Amino acid sequence: MKTSALAIRTAEQSENEPMYLPPSPPASHKPSDSDDSDSASERSEETYDLPVPPPSTYPMEVLELDKNTPDAHVVRDPRLIRLTGVHPFNTEAPLSALYDSGFLTPQELFYVRNHGPVPKVEDSESLDWTFTIDGLVDNPVTLSVRDLQTEFRQVTIPITLVCAGNRRKEQNTVRKSNGFSWGSAGVSTALWTGVLLSDVLERVRPKRKGRYMCMEGADKLPNGYYGTSVKLAWAKNPEKGMLLAWAMNGEPLQPDHGKPLRVVIPGQIGGRSVKWLKKLTITAAPSDNWYHIYDNRVLPTMVTPAMAKEDPTWWTDERYAIYDLSVNAACAYPAHKEEHPAVTPETDFTYKVQGYAYGGGGRRITRVEISLDKGTTWRLTDITYPEDRYRSLPDDATYNNSTFDVADRETSFCWSFWSLSIPMSELQAAEDVLVRAQDEAMNIMPRDMYWSVLGMMNNPWFRIEVVHEGGKVRFEHPTALKTEDGWMERAKREGRNLVDGYWGKGPAAASAAAVEVQDEVKMTNPASTRVVEYEELVAEREGSYLFVVNGEVYDGASYLEGHPGGAQSIISAAGQDVSEEFLAIHSESAKAMMPTYHIGTLSPAARRTLASPPTTTAISTALRPVFLDPKRWINATLTTKRVVSSDTRIFTFTLEHPDQLVGLPIGQHLMIKIQDENTKETIIRAYTPISCSSRKGEIDLLIKVYFGNERWKGGKMTQAMDVLGMGHRVQFKGPIGKLVYKGRGEVNLSTASPSNVKIRRFNMICGGTGITPIFQVLRAVVQDAEDATECVVLYGNRKRGDILCGKELEELERLGGSKVKLIHTLSRETDPTWKGRRGRVDNVLIEAEVGERREGELVLVCGPEEMEKDVRRICTELGWGEGDMCFF
Ligand code: MTE
């Protein structure tokens, strides 16, 4: 590991100036005689052999891809691998780069976990940043960073932070969890400077009833400000080393790491170390912050995502909250995909297998072992503990205006490094290299993974597979971040059972008997064993529409007529990998139909080509007249949000240029893609804009926000939309949908068949936001004086305030005259002044207003699933066939 001399001051601290103005230079140099304030008469200096804070090479410019995000003020290192798209910023360094940078991680390579936008704080405001401490305390206070720096003892402690999701991609490969995929570099170490929380808490004097310390940051997220809690007894205990920190590696915190002030909790999962700290509250119960409850837990393994969604009591059981880190280790070298020519006795050489290990709660790693024979025998590695080198410093040694608080601690708050030299011939003779660590409490990494809904604290043996190919030996890590070529991903593709206890290589009987942990719907047909090449996938052949979901190839041709989303969605998917949107918008029953259309598996070469397809056409720089593209996601910018009511908003998105038409036929929808700030899951939903299709340069979307409550998390998409900042770019794709209204009674019910049907009346039945596609068709009929199509609209809501586009609908009814009849029906209105119909959209209403099936009429339905089911049943009883009804 990289270490060298660190200059430490060992004399009286003459200045106790706050440090933000200007930022201190990194303390890695030995000041020369000419350093003006460092004259030998004022202080003596000694040099110790300590890990050196890496010289900062912090980038000075905002990266291009951050410019259109709420983090446009944050400079970042382009080497960091983004795990959740462009924003929010969740990143880790390539494992080798992290490991090579040594015991202390440079700020710019330190992993980042941001749930949302980074608060903007100027250097000049940092010292005046305040936070409050209140709740069950005798002496509530508001303190500034300046107060902390001038009124309390300043300490520096080396501490490793680890995201609870470190190594989660392995869990996600076994079975998708609710969390995004981290590799094994969600871990980093720094020298943290600040004050001990125990000192600060002494000043506020917590009351006897206080048992928890709740913390809250300044980052506003979809479910409130980020916050969590730890036990107060821990925070009061100086031995736990909890800090309020403003510096990392001798430099002010960078924005991504909590500038200007954060909590640092050693030995516990990173999620407890709240950044941009604004509040500490002493309470009798754990935090009720949404992020404390729905994040950072390991629920029992049998709890599926669906169970956890349905029953909130899983989340409030404090026994499943995680604090201390579990013992864990990963191998940095051999690196993923590292290759060596196969050796002979003559060419054999010694290879140093090496990596990191960490324990939780300050417990020291006491052994790291390697097995080359599947865990039958183990070899002990050498471990170094760079953290211990700070313990030999004299008590009065100062660093960055602070003292090192390490010497008399019996805690191990940092990662350690292990290594073992092994002849390459032995490595290449093994099928795999297995690594496990153990701590001083004898906690040991398990062989088998403990899968859980959030995929946290993953720590089974770290396994590297040894692959022989073409006279070479290749080492493969379990997963890879930007590709899917880890051994686990390969095994999964090959249909091997990753939880057979033998990493998918168990004896057939064991594999067959293994519990099927996947409760995902099976979408493949075991008889479809063809390997499909890229050329076949993209070839345009009559009667064949091949598309890819999760590496499997499907032909949608025979479903063009039947597809509820219309033939166009299948046609648009042809030749593409549509995994993301397919999985996002299809129900379990739709997925269960997939084996019928499954034709084979994409070849590895085709997978690679599909990931970066060859450019066949020059990219046109001409302005596109039409915004929507059925095959590509296109960005539009959120420019206005009009609050229509407490839960309804109209969002206006600006298209690529003012003359651009949205390109959405009447009756069709578009797909919107954004990312859930909490789960980092990509959410895709279909919406129908309310703006006219002839409007240029902009589209309006009417969105009702489904806010969560104690029992229900709320609508993922709508809550995420609600917190989008102006200027945020959102992606659109389309059009999709089964029905196109061509005008004057002409309807095309599936773009697969060119023939239009002529109708004379629409029976429109809708509920809640289901009004939007109905509204488009109704407006088209009304606005064309020559269009004589009759429209009866039955619109169900709970209360008067829930009616969407109420005024616009009245206006259309007025303008439509005898061709439009609008009936509102409210199921839960208690206001006696409501003179309209009461009750649900039921058989009485439908029988009266729609009646029995008649030729030349269509029933259009859009509403909640339950309502659609009822309408289908009632209309079927009235003689309407499937071909007479269109469910949006
Ligand atoms: N604090 C705030 N205010 N907001 C956040 O999103 N993320 C938490 C924690 N503190 C978070 C936060 C999580 S989950 C982790 S792992 C650590 O910050 C990551 O700290 P880092 O980004 O400095 O590495």
Side-chain angles (χ1 to χ4, degrees):
M1 301 306 305
K2 208 173 12 177
T3 61
S4 65
L6 169 68
I8 301 285
R9 292 174 179 162
T10 59
E12 293 292 295
Q13 191 68 38
S14 61
E15 75 274 66
N16 63 349
E17 276 298 295
M19 72 170 287
Y20 265 104
L21 294 174
S24 312
S28 55
H29 68 296
K30 189 174 189 315
S32 70
D33 290 347
S34 61
D35 274 6
D36 49 16
S37 63
D38 286 332
S39 70
S41 61
E42 277 173 356
R43 60 175 64 87
S44 61
E45 286 190 351
E46 286 179 33
T47 302
Y48 295 88
D49 181 25
L50 293 171
V52 177
S56 176
T57 54
Y58 210 80
M60 297 312 292
E61 290 201 346
V62 172
L63 299 176
E64 204 50 47
L65 75 177
D66 284 319
K67 288 191 175 154
N68 282 318
T69 75
D71 291 350
H73 57 101
V74 186
V75 292
R76 288 168 172 156
D77 191 303
R79 279 173 299 173
L80 288 171
I81 303 170
R82 297 189 188 223
L83 310 173
T84 55
V86 175
H87 188 270
F89 195 58
N90 291 298
T91 48
E92 64 179 67
L95 181 59
S96 313
L98 173 75
Y99 187 81
D100 294 348
S101 68
F103 173 68
L104 298 172
T105 316
Q107 283 210 50
E108 62 271 19
L109 277 191
F110 205 99
Y111 85 88
V112 180
R113 170 72 178 102
N114 292 341
H115 283 73
V118 175
K120 188 171 182 193
V121 185
E122 300 295 345
D123 283 347
S124 57
E125 298 162 353
S126 291
L127 287 172
D128 295 321
W129 174 274
T130 56
F131 70 101
T132 53
I133 315 182
D134 56 17
L136 297 171
V137 295
D138 286 339
N139 180 29
V141 289
T142 298
L143 292 172
S144 65
V145 172
R146 183 184 284 103
D147 297 335
L148 290 178
Q149 291 193 11
T150 53
E151 296 173 20
F152 293 86
R153 184 163 60 106
Q154 315 291 300
V155 296
T156 293
I157 312 184
I159 294 167
T160 295
L161 283 189
V162 185
C163 185
N166 192 32
R167 295 185 62 193
R168 186 189 285 132
K169 193 162 190 205
E170 296 166 44
Q171 294 239 336
N172 280 346
T173 308
V174 164
R175 174 179 175 185
K176 179 81 186 78
S177 76
N178 282 358
F180 63 86
S181 288
W182 286 96
S184 39
V187 45
S188 307
T189 303
L191 294 177
W192 300 92
T193 302
V195 304
L196 282 172
L197 253 167
S198 51
D199 288 350
V200 178
L201 289 172
E202 234 169 59
R203 172 161 318 176
V204 297
R205 295 193 307 277
K207 293 185 195 293
R208 272 179 64 83
K209 274 190 286 177
R211 290 195 47 214
Y212 294 88
M213 184 187 75
C214 301
M215 305 161 260
E216 198 175 275
D219 43 340
K220 178 120 176 40
L221 306 169
N223 296 296
Y225 292 97
Y226 183 85
T228 179
S229 60
V230 291
K231 292 199 172 112
L232 178 62
W234 296 342
K236 285 200 300 194
N237 179 357
E239 182 65 0
K240 290 279 182 188
M242 297 186 185
L243 288 178
L244 296 180
W246 54 83
M248 250 172 116
N249 293 338
E251 297 170 320
L253 297 176
Q254 288 296 336
D256 274 324
H257 298 295
K259 176 185 179 183
L261 184 69
R262 76 175 297 170
V263 179
V264 178
I265 301 203
Q268 296 196 6
I269 56 157
R272 308 283 171 225
S273 293
V274 171
K275 304 191 269 191
W276 314 294
L277 181 71
K278 278 315 266 180
K279 258 190 201 178
L280 294 178
T281 311
I282 307 304
T283 56
S287 167
D288 61 1
N289 185 289
W290 194 93
Y291 299 91
H292 183 74
I293 295 168
Y294 293 104
D295 207 348
N296 295 321
R297 284 173 191 249
V298 173
L299 299 192
T301 190
M302 70 297 290
V303 178
T304 62
M307 283 161 74
K309 193 171 171 189
E310 269 155 30
D311 184 357
T313 58
W314 286 117
W315 299 99
T316 46
D317 191 329
E318 196 52 22
R319 293 174 302 173
Y320 306 142
I322 46 180
Y323 294 96
D324 282 1
L325 287 160
S326 49
V327 56
N328 211 343
C331 183
Y333 292 105
H336 179 51
K337 293 273 166 130
E338 187 175 320
E339 275 189 346
H340 294 274
V343 291
T344 60
E346 291 71 44
T347 59
D348 200 5
F349 65 97
T350 305
Y351 184 91
K352 193 165 168 189
V353 181
Q354 51 189 313
Y356 70 74
Y358 56 80
R363 285 178 290 276
R364 176 175 292 263
I365 290 295
T366 50
R367 72 203 78 175
V368 178
E369 298 163 321
I370 291 183
S371 175
L372 299 182
D373 55 8
K374 307 209 169 292
T376 311
T377 60
W378 294 89
R379 306 170 187 210
L380 209 52
T381 68
D382 301 318
I383 310 180
T384 58
Y385 306 93
E387 172 186 9
D388 284 348
R389 301 228 293 275
Y390 297 96
R391 298 187 206 273
S392 56
L393 282 170
D395 286 350
D396 63 347
T398 67
Y399 164 73
N400 208 19
N401 295 347
S402 69
T403 50
F404 270 97
D405 184 3
V406 193
D408 53 357
R409 278 181 190 288
E410 295 306 328
T411 43
S412 181
F413 287 151
C414 294
W415 55 1
S416 49
F417 299 103
W418 54 267
S419 63
L420 186 65
S421 294
I422 303 178
M424 180 53 79
S425 53
E426 286 186 40
L427 291 173
Q428 75 181 29
E431 225 179 289
D432 38 34
V433 181
L434 299 166
V435 181
R436 71 177 185 198
Q438 190 166 350
D439 71 12
E440 60 185 297
M442 301 303 139
N443 293 311
I444 187 162
M445 288 163 66
R447 184 187 67 166
D448 297 327
M449 173 184 293
Y450 188 87
W451 185 91
S452 71
V453 153
L454 291 178
M456 290 180 159
M457 302 279 243
N458 186 47
N459 71 338
W461 299 350
F462 193 88
R463 178 177 182 268
I464 290 187
E465 191 158 306
V466 185
V467 181
H468 293 262
E469 216 170 65
K472 287 191 175 156
V473 182
R474 188 174 66 243
F475 295 95
E476 286 186 3
H477 282 213
T479 59
L481 278 180
K482 285 202 166 155
T483 59
E484 297 221 317
D485 56 10
W487 66 258
M488 288 186 83
E489 290 142 336
R490 191 162 37 78
K492 173 116 186 203
R493 275 200 303 280
E494 289 165 5
R496 281 148 51 189
N497 179 359
L498 282 168
V499 290
D500 64 354
Y502 300 88
W503 308 282
K505 296 196 152 183
S511 288
V515 189
E516 179 59 84
V517 291
Q518 299 279 346
D519 67 350
E520 287 163 16
V521 176
K522 195 151 185 60
M523 301 205 302
T524 50
N525 177 358
S528 304
T529 51
R530 254 174 69 194
V531 174
V532 179
E533 295 301 339
Y534 182 76
E535 293 66 31
E536 184 184 355
L537 175 75
V538 296
E540 287 177 19
R541 274 181 296 116
E542 192 138 330
S544 149
Y545 293 100
L546 303 192
F547 61 91
V548 175
V549 177
N550 285 348
E552 299 297 330
V553 184
Y554 300 85
D555 188 347
S558 58
Y559 198 41
L560 286 183
E561 289 295 338
H563 190 244
Q568 186 56 46
S569 14
I570 293 176
I571 296 168
S572 314
Q576 296 202 45
D577 183 343
V578 290
S579 311
E580 204 180 33
E581 61 236 54
F582 179 89
L583 298 170
I585 62 178
H586 286 85
S587 65
E588 302 289 272
S589 32
K591 289 176 193 161
M593 294 166 67
M594 292 300 277
T596 317
Y597 307 100
H598 181 224
I599 62 151
T601 304
L602 210 55
S603 76
R607 274 171 173 269
R608 282 193 294 277
T609 318
L610 196 59
S612 46
T615 319
T616 45
T617 46
I619 293 169
S620 166
T621 50
L623 295 179
R624 298 177 328 112
V626 172
F627 170 69
L628 284 176
D629 183 328
K631 292 204 176 248
R632 280 194 306 144
W633 289 100
I634 313 277
N635 285 325
T637 310
L638 176 62
T639 40
T640 321
K641 173 170 132 181
R642 267 176 292 153
V643 176
V644 181
S645 72
S646 62
D647 61 359
T648 312
R649 288 94 176 86
I650 296 176
F651 292 88
T652 303
F653 291 90
T654 302
L655 308 184
E656 292 171 317
H657 60 87
D659 288 329
Q660 196 171 40
L661 282 167
V662 66
L664 192 66
I666 292 160
Q668 297 251 292
H669 329 291
L670 40 74
M671 284 185 288
I672 310 178
K673 176 159 85 166
I674 65 172
Q675 206 174 45
D676 187 310
E677 306 273 339
N678 312 309
T679 60
K680 301 302 154 257
E681 197 186 314
T682 300
I683 325 171
I684 299 173
R685 297 277 186 277
Y687 281 98
T688 315
I690 53 162
S691 44
C692 227
S693 53
S694 56
R695 169 127 160 244
K696 288 185 174 171
E698 286 179 336
I699 35 171
D700 287 341
L701 290 181
L702 177 77
I703 308 265
K704 184 172 169 121
V705 185
Y706 294 98
F707 291 108
N709 55 34
E710 278 163 16
R711 280 164 293 112
W712 183 55
K713 240 170 115 173
K716 253 197 263 181
M717 178 66 151
T718 57
Q719 292 185 103
M721 290 272 292
D722 198 31
V723 294
L724 288 183
M726 292 310 111
H728 200 97
R729 308 241 281 183
V730 167
Q731 294 185 300
F732 292 85
K733 191 172 178 178
I736 56 162
K738 198 173 167 81
L739 176 138
V740 176
Y741 185 56
K742 306 249 173 187
R744 305 200 179 166
E746 247 182 75
V747 174
N748 189 326
L749 267 180
S750 164
T751 37
S753 78
S755 60
N756 297 332
V757 288
K758 182 90 180 153
I759 55 134
R760 51 170 204 82
R761 170 170 149 137
F762 283 119
N763 299 285
M764 300 163 155
I765 308 178
C766 55
T769 46
I771 187 68
T772 52
I774 300 275
F775 184 82
Q776 287 283 9
V777 180
L778 181 68
R779 182 172 51 195
V781 171
V782 172
Q783 282 180 345
D784 181 356
E786 304 290 309
D787 192 332
T789 315
E790 285 174 35
C791 298
V792 59
V793 186
L794 312 182
Y795 184 22
N797 279 291
R798 281 197 285 194
K799 297 195 165 198
R800 193 180 337 200
D802 295 330
I803 297 173
L804 300 175
C805 303
K807 286 216 174 71
E808 293 80 354
L809 285 169
E810 269 173 34
E811 182 63 4
L812 289 180
E813 187 184 26
R814 193 184 63 76
L815 291 173
S818 61
K819 65 182 177 182
V820 177
K821 182 173 185 185
L822 170 68
I823 299 178
H824 288 289
T825 182
L826 301 180
S827 59
R828 291 206 199 151
E829 184 55 77
T830 46
D831 180 355
T833 65
W834 171 250
K835 296 285 176 271
R837 188 181 189 275
R838 289 173 190 271
R840 298 156 72 94
V841 176
D842 53 14
N843 55 337
V844 178
L845 181 65
I846 297 177
E847 272 169 33
E849 299 300 334
V850 178
E852 291 188 352
R853 178 185 185 274
R854 290 173 299 277
E855 275 303 320
E857 296 192 18
L858 268 183
V859 182
L860 308 185
V861 192
C862 192
E865 199 180 340
E866 280 307 305
M867 181 189 140
E868 291 197 352
K869 269 195 211 154
D870 286 348
V871 173
R872 175 174 261 125
R873 182 182 43 79
I874 299 166
C875 288
T876 311
E877 281 164 13
L878 290 168
W880 298 91
E882 278 300 314
D884 309 318
M885 297 185 275
C886 173
F887 290 82
F888 285 105

